Amino acid sequence: MMKIKDIQTALEIFEDACIKHSEATEQGDYKTGNKYHSKIMKAIAFLKNENAITNLKDYLSSPSVGVRLWSACYWLPINEQEGIKVLEEIIKSPGINSLTAETTLREWKKGNLKF
């Protein structure tokens, strides 16, 4: 993977990887899912390092459930109420992502997650 050089590139990588990770998860393709998970983590690390994680706010209303899910996870420490609201909306939707959102929210409330 190329080296991330700016915030806009990190956000583009994040969005694309979230979409593809979600698709792979829905298809049960863990190898592809793992590949895109790594890209998500690299983009997030860059955004954190640049103090730009708040740029994820715009993705909380993305048409992609994967983008909303990952954005909401990293939004929890910034605005817990908003992050929880997005996760609760995903929980109501059909598909495997609803289970992921439910598990994430449950573990967050228990204090087991650090983003």
Side-chain angles (χ1 to χ4, degrees), residues 2-17:
M2 67 177 192
K3 183 167 172 49
I4 300 173
K5 296 181 180 172
D6 58 61
I7 292 168
Q8 187 58 43
T9 301
L11 291 170
E12 290 168 5
I13 290 169
F14 174 81
E15 182 177 31
D16 181 64

